[in-house]
Amino acid sequence: MVNIAVFVSGYGSNLSAIIQAVNDGLIRANIALVVSDNKEAYALKRARDAGIKHMAVEPVNYASKAEFEKAVLQALVREKVGLVVLAGFMRILSAEFVSAYRNKILNVHPSLLPAFKGEDAIRRAFDYGVKVSGVTVHFVDEKMDHGPVISQKQVIISDGEALESFEKRIHAIEHELYPEAIALCVEGRLKIEGRKVTAV
Ligand code: GRF
């Protein structure tokens, strides 16, 4: 069974959806480690409550980004991690880190990429006045919110809808789409050819 590490920075609702999917047998993998770059992240409490090994690795405690990533990579090697799942992890991984886990890092982003890359995507899409947004799950490469797309699902914004309602619907879709993509990935069912990913 594949050992997964989930990287978090904040609230951890996606982490909980992933834990649930593992417990339900939808994702046939073991969550070996939760890594947070913020020791105050609520996600760490979720990991603790679920009995999952977790650690805070804070960049301020390291001399450089390279040293920080080295500490994280050491933890991954220690736990024999085969797949890294970013779940609200607010940090860009270096090219070196990405190449150590080439095609073995996934991310969820709350927009239909390549629209609204980066932070605060839900609110920016809403403020822009788009009629359709959604969720993207993708492989991580060297560029932010850029790697090959695994799955996307649209969310239509209705006239007069409040941001809070739109946000809620985006998160609900994330909590379905991400576990499904992780499940395919751990089963070795994602074929990548250039930017094209197909489920086989
Ligand atoms: C999610 O919307 C995710 O797509 C984005 O950050 C948010 C994290 O939420 N990258 P949570 O910490 O999983 O609740």
Side-chain angles (χ1 to χ4, degrees), residues 3-199:
N3 282 331
I4 296 180
V6 184
F7 286 18
V8 297
S9 299
Y11 187 53
S13 67
N14 281 286
L15 170 64
S16 286
I18 295 162
I19 293 171
Q20 188 65 51
V22 168
N23 291 343
D24 292 347
L26 171 69
I27 298 174
R28 287 197 283 252
N30 167 46
I31 306 176
L33 185 64
V34 170
V35 177
S36 175
D37 65 344
N38 163 18
K39 65 177 169 27
E40 306 299 338
Y42 186 68
L44 284 173
K45 178 180 160 21
R46 295 182 192 257
R48 188 166 51 243
D49 291 350
I52 296 168
K53 199 178 277 186
H54 52 280
M55 63 192 287
V57 190
E58 296 195 301
V60 294
N61 298 325
Y62 295 87
S64 62
K65 176 167 175 162
E67 290 295 315
F68 160 74
E69 288 191 343
K70 201 167 120 193
V72 175
L73 275 172
Q74 277 169 356
L76 299 188
V77 170
R78 205 162 50 231
E79 300 301 333
K80 299 184 173 55
V81 167
L83 179 70
V84 173
V85 169
L86 309 185
F89 184 65
M90 302 303 287
R91 205 160 280 283
I92 311 290
L93 296 168
S94 70
E96 290 71 32
F97 192 102
V98 170
S99 64
Y101 274 86
R102 171 73 52 201
N103 294 338
K104 290 190 163 60
I105 310 177
L106 306 186
N107 185 39
V108 65
H109 184 75
S111 74
L112 294 177
L113 290 173
F116 303 106
K117 293 180 179 181
E119 281 181 39
D120 213 9
I122 302 177
R123 194 191 48 76
R124 285 188 293 115
F126 183 85
D127 288 349
Y128 193 88
V130 297
K131 306 288 188 194
V132 181
S133 189
V135 172
T136 303
V137 180
H138 64 95
F139 284 106
V140 171
D141 67 7
E142 290 75 9
K143 297 186 200 153
M144 182 186 64
D145 298 330
H146 175 268
V149 172
I150 298 168
S151 55
Q152 291 187 304
K153 195 160 179 181
Q154 70 172 31
V155 174
I156 294 173
I157 302 170
S158 39
D159 291 345
E161 181 168 15
L163 173 61
E164 294 64 36
S165 150
F166 171 54
E167 246 172 0
K168 247 192 206 155
R169 294 195 300 126
I170 289 278
H171 290 309
I173 299 293
E174 289 190 307
H175 300 159
E176 280 173 27
L177 207 64
Y178 207 14
E180 282 169 13
I182 295 166
L184 289 172
C185 191
V186 300
E187 286 165 26
R189 291 178 54 201
L190 295 178
K191 194 172 84 186
I192 314 173
E193 287 164 301
R195 287 204 54 87
K196 309 280 186 204
V197 181
T198 41

